[in-house]
Amino acid sequence: MIRKTAFALLVFITSQASQAQYKYPTTPERPVVDDYFGTKITDSYRWLEDMNNPEVQKWFKDESDYTNSIVKTISGRDDLFKRMKEIQALGGDQYALIRQVGDIYYYTKNKKNENIDKLYLRKGKNGTEILLIDPTTIKKGATITSFIISPDNKKLAVTISQDGAEVCDLQIMDLESKKFLSDKLTPVWSEFPFEFTPDSKAITYTQMVTRDNTSEDFLKNMKSFLHIIGTDSKTDKILASKENNPELGILSEQFPYVTFSNDYAYIILNIGSTKNEEFSFYVPFSELGKSKINWKPLIKYEDEITGSHIIGDKLFFLTHKNAPNYKLAYTSIKKPNFDNATILVPENDKVIRRLRKSKNFIYYNLSDGINQEIFQVNAKTLETKKIPLPVGSNGGYPLNPHQTDDLLLFNNGWVTPSTDYDYNSLTGKLEKSTELTSNGAFPDFSKDHVVKEVEVPSHDGVMVPLSIIYPKNVKMDGSTSCFITGYGGYGISEYPYFVGPSLMTLLEQNTIVAFAHVRGGGEKGNQWHVDGMKAKKPNTWKDFIACSEYLIKEKFTSKEKLIGNGVSMGGVLIGRAITERPDLYKVALVEVGCTNTLRMETTPNGPNQIPEVGSLKNEEDVKHILEMDSQSKVKKGEKYPAVFIRTGINDPRVVPWEPGKFAAILQNYNKSENPILLHVNYANGHHSNDLDVTFGDEADMFAFALWQVGNPKFQIAK
């Protein structure tokens, strides 16, 4: 008995000694035991979930201050930030969203050497630029998230958020006076669509119950409204809600939003969620004037439709029903029949994705998983033709689907700056954009870097795509640091995009950058998504581990130089990668990550995740959620890599306590001498539209990683 006690004391002393150089804020353990259908899990950090508790608030502030006391003193950190700003400025003015009404162009633009988007207009592409909205004059920390123009070109509606919170005010501007009207519709979510009626006298929008992201009602029981401009919003008519329309079967966590068909002949009610598949209703436009709309069913989940658009009397749709690589078809909007629809593009060996529309055309992409081609379909004649863009990752959007067939298209590569094209579907005229496009020149990294696309066998033999960007003169001896990132959620595909100032800055530090296209994404079709969700979620992090091992085996890097990264739902990926293989990575960067899936359902955004991860109310799902949960997999006395965990205090998607708890248990349980830091940004949410905030976070994160892999430029003076 005495010997056991002495041994326990020795283990405690050894563990404490290994952490002596890092004096983390004290985090007491207050065990809470949960019984998940017979499996008992102890959560010693449940108390950190009360974000309104002064003790918890102090803990987060202490963690933030401690992290800043380290990372802000890393040599080279400030140089990274400055270099990101320099590269951003080299790219010139960066245009974001462009909309066209008649011959007037409206757009958001971030001027070089500035840090946020402002909203402008000009008459004709070569016209004089006029500033409409500078969000810095509204309130410090304010940013523009989206905007639309009324059909009569006399009003502008814009959503403005604060400090990355994504909860917005929807305001309406009179374009003649350039002054905001008294109408303020709030709170609304940054990604919810809103649309003017064809007479420009009203606007549809979806309202949230509260803007408080700590409230149980946050992101729940939202309502779609019609607002008559110039009236009190309290009198707005409810178009659809769970409470008002029980017959529609809307769940409290789903959000209803209303759009119009191209010719305004129909109103479409979409029931949004994290599911890829659509759920919608519709009625003739004349129903908008009724006191309560009698919505008719349009698309059900079991139709497995992931995109749809109405043009004229046709409903075009993209579905993976009996077609894992998708097929494109259409049916009559007057009498929809999806099972007996006309197939326009049958399933083939390439994946059909990204359905879009303009006034008279439908557009879709064909993808081999990495590169894409864009095709157009004439909605009347059904003539289909390829848009002749160069091979690469191609995307784009229409400038005004109600009025024109003009598109802005992009051709992207990992290391080559995006090329913009103006395209008119009616005439087929395609030309490089010379206006409303970047007027600078990002460095062309293709001169000094190689992009290698490979496929790596995973744990079960399935081949996983891996994109690797590395210097042409790299030494294949394992001495080069490597940053590998992955996501693997919601069927989202990681297509090539120009890596931009942050990762360009990292490449300049002689660091390889790799993208693992793991299961849970959509690169190889719907089955690729299905094979990385719920019961099959382990494939996501096991694919990531396999890609990481490949980089080591082929001597791109080594365990002492490997930096793993995951963001948001990618927190499951990186959290489980380091808890399953703590020996494989020197550094883990966990950004606003889902690391406590066992508790995620209790958060405001948690019920939204049930289609992707499952529910705690379902015994079978609980087994899989337990397997995904990184926090409960942390072992006391294990040697973990250096970990940098980032959260934004205003994050409405992944509540700050989730990454906070992961930092707490790692700090208390880690036996290695590697630091575990929690980075808390008080001017940020899940992300930020302020480049100074974004670059600041990334400079901190990359400086930490480069310090830990031994880059001599990034050290702390001893």
Side-chain angles (χ1 to χ4, degrees):
M1 189 73 178
I2 294 174
R3 291 179 63 186
K4 288 183 179 179
T5 304
F7 178 73
L9 180 61
L10 177 62
V11 171
F12 175 78
I13 292 171
T14 303
S15 176
Q16 291 298 101
S18 69
Q19 292 295 323
Q21 61 180 311
Y22 299 110
K23 304 293 185 182
Y24 305 120
T26 301
T27 312
E29 296 192 75
R30 299 168 184 167
V32 174
V33 179
D34 293 304
D35 189 324
Y36 297 98
F37 294 97
T39 300
K40 293 183 179 181
I41 299 293
T42 299
D43 183 349
S44 297
Y45 304 95
R46 182 70 53 81
W47 64 276
L48 286 173
E49 295 181 11
D50 185 2
M51 296 297 295
N52 293 315
N53 185 329
E55 182 187 12
V56 174
Q57 293 171 353
K58 182 180 184 301
W59 182 85
F60 272 92
K61 186 64 168 60
D62 289 346
E63 287 280 348
S64 176
D65 291 344
Y66 182 72
T67 295
N68 287 332
S69 74
I70 295 176
V71 298
K72 295 295 195 289
T73 63
I74 300 174
S75 62
R77 182 270 172 201
D78 291 346
D79 290 336
L80 285 179
F81 178 79
K82 290 175 184 176
R83 183 55 179 156
M84 291 175 192
K85 295 279 287 183
E86 287 172 1
I87 294 176
Q88 179 71 18
L90 287 173
D93 297 346
Q94 297 296 303
Y95 292 81
L97 185 60
I98 303 172
R99 301 198 186 279
Q100 177 188 359
V101 180
D103 63 347
I104 307 293
Y105 291 85
Y106 302 84
Y107 51 93
T108 52
K109 182 175 72 170
N110 191 318
K111 289 188 175 182
K112 66 177 183 177
N113 298 319
E114 293 188 348
N115 62 312
I116 63 168
D117 288 348
K118 298 175 183 177
L119 204 157
Y120 303 84
L121 72 78
R122 64 173 69 171
K123 186 172 184 179
K125 287 193 173 182
N126 298 303
T128 302
E129 182 173 88
I130 299 172
L131 175 64
L132 284 176
I133 300 175
D134 176 356
T136 63
T137 63
I138 297 174
K139 192 175 182 181
K140 183 180 179 182
T143 55
I144 295 168
T145 61
S146 187
F147 74 92
I148 57 171
I149 310 299
S150 62
D152 65 5
N153 219 357
K154 293 182 179 180
K155 301 180 188 73
L156 176 151
V158 60
T159 47
I160 298 172
S161 72
Q162 185 72 33
D163 293 328
E166 297 183 77
V167 182
C168 302
D169 296 331
L170 173 57
Q171 295 184 255
I172 300 171
M173 173 180 280
D174 175 75
L175 287 170
E176 183 176 357
S177 66
K178 298 181 180 58
K179 292 183 178 180
F180 284 116
L181 302 176
S182 59
D183 309 71
K184 181 182 283 191
L185 311 175
T186 189
V188 300
W189 186 250
S190 61
E191 294 185 359
F192 293 167
F194 48 100
E195 191 164 356
F196 282 104
T197 53
D199 62 5
S200 303
K201 293 180 179 179
I203 190 169
T204 64
Y205 71 101
T206 299
Q207 188 176 54
M208 305 168 69
V209 173
T210 177
R211 65 193 316 124
D212 178 6
N213 65 0
T214 66
S215 168
E216 291 186 1
D217 292 325
F218 187 71
L219 292 178
K220 293 184 177 70
N221 298 313
M222 291 171 255
K223 298 178 180 180
S224 177
F225 283 102
L226 177 70
H227 172 71
I228 308 300
I229 297 169
T231 65
D232 189 336
S233 62
K234 293 179 181 178
T235 65
D236 290 352
K237 182 171 77 172
I238 297 175
L239 299 178
S241 70
K242 180 180 185 294
E243 179 184 6
N244 202 52
N245 301 88
E247 73 280 4
L248 301 184
I250 303 173
L251 301 177
S252 61
E253 65 268 20
Q254 295 175 324
F255 50 92
Y257 64 92
V258 164
T259 58
F260 303 121
S261 61
N262 275 15
D263 56 5
Y264 295 101
Y266 295 95
I267 314 169
I268 303 98
L269 169 63
N270 302 279
I271 310 302
S273 71
T274 57
K275 286 179 70 70
N276 281 343
E277 293 76 21
E278 293 187 355
F279 177 33
S280 63
F281 302 82
Y282 77 127
V283 290
F285 186 84
S286 58
E287 287 270 333
L288 193 62
K290 295 185 177 180
S291 57
K292 182 175 179 179
I293 295 176
N294 183 29
W295 294 106
K296 295 166 52 181
L298 182 58
I299 298 173
K300 304 181 295 294
Y301 282 136
E302 50 264 38
D303 295 318
E304 299 181 21
I305 290 171
T306 59
S308 65
H309 294 297
I310 300 170
I311 299 182
D313 61 356
K314 297 184 182 72
L315 171 62
F316 296 87
F317 64 94
L318 193 62
T319 178
H320 57 72
K321 191 170 187 177
N322 302 317
N325 282 358
Y326 296 85
K327 57 189 175 186
L328 177 62
Y330 77 91
T331 185
S332 168
I333 186 60
K334 295 179 180 178
K335 200 172 183 179
N337 187 329
F338 300 114
D339 292 331
N340 293 296
T342 302
I343 307 298
L344 285 171
V345 185
E347 183 188 25
N348 57 75
D349 59 349
K350 291 188 176 181
V351 181
I352 309 170
R353 297 301 293 270
R354 290 185 172 182
L355 199 66
R356 295 173 290 262
K357 68 172 181 177
S358 64
K359 184 178 181 181
N360 297 295
F361 291 85
I362 289 291
Y363 309 88
Y364 66 91
N365 283 31
L366 271 184
S367 172
D368 61 8
I370 301 297
N371 297 304
Q372 301 151 76
E373 302 168 297
I374 299 183
F375 294 80
Q376 68 179 49
V377 179
N378 187 308
K380 292 181 180 178
T381 68
L382 303 180
E383 177 190 7
T384 301
K385 71 176 184 178
K386 179 181 173 182
I387 300 176
L389 286 174
V391 174
S393 176
N394 295 314
Y397 62 88
L399 298 181
N400 187 330
H402 287 294
Q403 294 185 2
T404 77
D405 291 301
D406 292 331
L407 275 74
L408 182 63
L409 300 174
F410 318 102
N411 179 252
N412 291 299
W414 294 115
V415 292
T416 52
S418 176
T419 302
D420 299 348
Y421 294 85
D422 295 318
Y423 180 67
N424 182 280
S425 302
L426 286 173
T427 64
K429 185 178 181 181
L430 176 73
E431 57 185 0
K432 288 186 179 180
S433 301
T434 56
E435 299 293 335
L436 302 181
T437 187
S438 173
N439 58 12
F442 280 122
D444 187 348
F445 270 51
S446 63
K447 297 176 183 177
D448 302 313
H449 289 77
V450 175
V451 175
K452 187 174 184 178
E453 305 284 2
V454 299
E455 291 205 334
V456 176
S458 191
H459 68 104
D460 55 358
V462 170
M463 302 303 288
V464 180
L466 175 65
S467 303
I468 313 168
I469 308 166
Y470 58 94
K472 288 183 177 178
N473 61 353
V474 69
K475 294 180 180 180
M476 295 294 188
D477 60 2
S479 64
T480 307
S481 56
C482 177
F483 169 92
I484 178 173
T485 186
Y487 188 70
Y490 313 113
I492 295 173
S493 300
E494 190 81 85
Y495 295 123
Y497 64 91
F498 184 51
V499 293
S502 298
L503 289 180
M504 289 173 73
T505 300
L506 190 60
L507 284 167
E508 288 182 339
Q509 309 308 314
N510 196 42
T511 298
I512 295 167
V513 172
F515 296 85
H517 306 278
V518 299
R519 279 173 280 186
E523 286 88 345
K524 289 191 173 184
N526 182 64
Q527 195 60 44
W528 200 248
H529 175 211
V530 171
D531 286 344
M533 60 187 291
K534 293 189 175 181
K536 297 182 179 181
K537 190 62 181 173
N539 287 328
T540 297
W541 65 81
K542 290 180 186 294
D543 288 353
F544 189 72
I545 288 171
C547 289
S548 300
E549 289 177 324
Y550 171 88
L551 293 167
I552 294 169
K553 177 185 175 184
E554 297 299 318
K555 297 191 181 301
F556 283 97
T557 190
S558 65
K559 290 182 179 181
E560 289 302 307
K561 299 289 183 179
L562 187 58
I563 305 163
N565 171 254
V567 183
S568 192
M569 183 54 77
V572 173
L573 170 148
I574 188 61
R576 287 298 284 114
I578 65 169
T579 49
E580 187 164 301
R581 287 292 307 277
D583 63 303
L584 190 57
Y585 304 90
K586 177 60 180 176
V587 184
L589 306 175
V590 187
E591 301 186 67
V592 293
C594 300
T595 51
N596 192 192
T597 51
L598 277 173
R599 295 291 294 163
M600 197 161 58
E601 195 173 333
T602 69
T603 71
N605 195 32
N608 256 323
Q609 312 310 312
I610 290 173
E612 186 73 16
V613 302
S615 173
L616 293 174
K617 297 174 183 177
N618 182 300
E619 185 173 359
E620 189 63 28
D621 283 350
V622 166
K623 298 176 186 177
H624 318 317
I625 296 171
L626 278 164
E627 188 61 26
M628 296 176 212
D629 187 76
S630 300
Q631 180 181 319
S632 61
K633 300 298 183 294
V634 177
K635 299 176 182 178
K636 186 172 291 188
E638 180 65 81
K639 292 182 178 181
Y640 289 101
V643 185
F644 184 96
I645 300 168
R646 179 177 73 79
T647 186
I649 206 68
N650 299 317
D651 193 341
R653 301 184 188 227
V654 179
V655 290
W657 58 251
E658 193 168 346
K661 288 171 65 180
F662 193 51
I665 194 170
L666 282 170
Q667 286 177 351
N668 279 348
Y669 285 14
N670 180 34
K671 189 181 178 182
S672 76
E673 295 185 359
N674 298 316
I676 311 290
L677 298 183
L678 177 62
H679 182 282
V680 185
N681 194 319
Y682 285 82
N684 206 350
H686 202 60
H687 50 71
S688 176
N689 290 326
D690 185 325
L691 286 177
D692 281 356
V693 174
T694 299
F695 290 159
D697 282 352
E698 290 172 341
D700 290 343
M701 182 174 69
F702 291 153
F704 173 87
L706 293 168
W707 165 43
Q708 288 299 302
V709 297
N711 188 311
K713 296 180 184 177
F714 300 87
Q715 297 299 315
I716 294 179
K718 295 182 179 180

